[in-house]
Amino acid sequence: LGLEVGNPAAVLIIRPGPWDFKVGYNFGGGLGGDGGKFFHVSLDYRIVDSYRLVDFLHLYLGLGAFAQVVTAGDNSDFALGARIPVGLQAFLLKGTVEIFLEIVPTVAFYPSIVPPWDNPQGFQGYFGFTIKSPF
């Protein structure tokens, strides 16, 4: 279980095994242009998880999907797409706490196909932490 901040602004993480399930909300800017307030849901699978680079620093790489729904103004934008999360992670307190920095190129598929370099929401980035459950 964890939290992250970035784009979207605040996200709750639930990580059972190699899966990352994220639910979040953006409070302004970004998708939709006027206000940019939107709900975000994503599901990623970590293809490479905790690949040791040096002592406590690890790398991960995943593949997943996202959905976003704009909640501001008259916009009723809805977007679906793919995500490729790449991150650095450090494990503290005997692996109980993970601190990470992540960048996620995205490709929108709905309402139209848009590569990351042509989309204001084309890159999602996060800084956050997770705490491993003792169960």
Side-chain angles (χ1 to χ4, degrees):
L1 189 62
L3 293 173
E4 61 189 20
V5 294
N7 178 23
V11 178
L12 174 67
I13 307 163
I14 302 167
R15 185 174 294 146
W19 294 95
D20 277 354
F21 177 69
K22 299 177 181 183
V23 178
Y25 189 73
N26 197 61
F27 300 97
L31 187 73
D34 45 66
K37 296 179 180 177
F38 61 88
F39 282 105
H40 170 90
V41 176
S42 65
L43 179 64
D44 303 325
Y45 181 80
R46 288 194 176 183
I47 298 165
V48 175
D49 193 15
S50 302
Y51 179 79
R52 184 182 301 251
L53 297 174
V54 293
D55 186 33
F56 68 96
L57 188 63
H58 297 78
L59 171 80
Y60 63 88
L61 170 68
L63 187 58
F66 72 92
Q68 292 178 338
V69 179
V70 172
T71 60
D74 294 335
N75 264 339
S76 60
D77 288 343
F78 177 72
L80 289 174
R83 298 168 31 97
I84 305 169
V86 178
L88 293 173
Q89 58 194 158
F91 294 102
L92 308 171
L93 303 173
K94 297 183 181 180
T96 305
V97 176
E98 169 201 20
I99 296 176
F100 64 90
L101 178 65
E102 176 178 277
I103 186 160
V104 186
T106 66
V107 176
F109 290 124
Y110 180 85
S112 62
I113 297 175
V114 182
W117 50 87
D118 287 340
N119 181 357
Q121 288 295 308
F123 289 92
Q124 300 166 355
Y126 303 102
F127 171 76
F129 71 93
T130 60
I131 299 173
K132 188 181 290 188
S133 169
F135 305 107

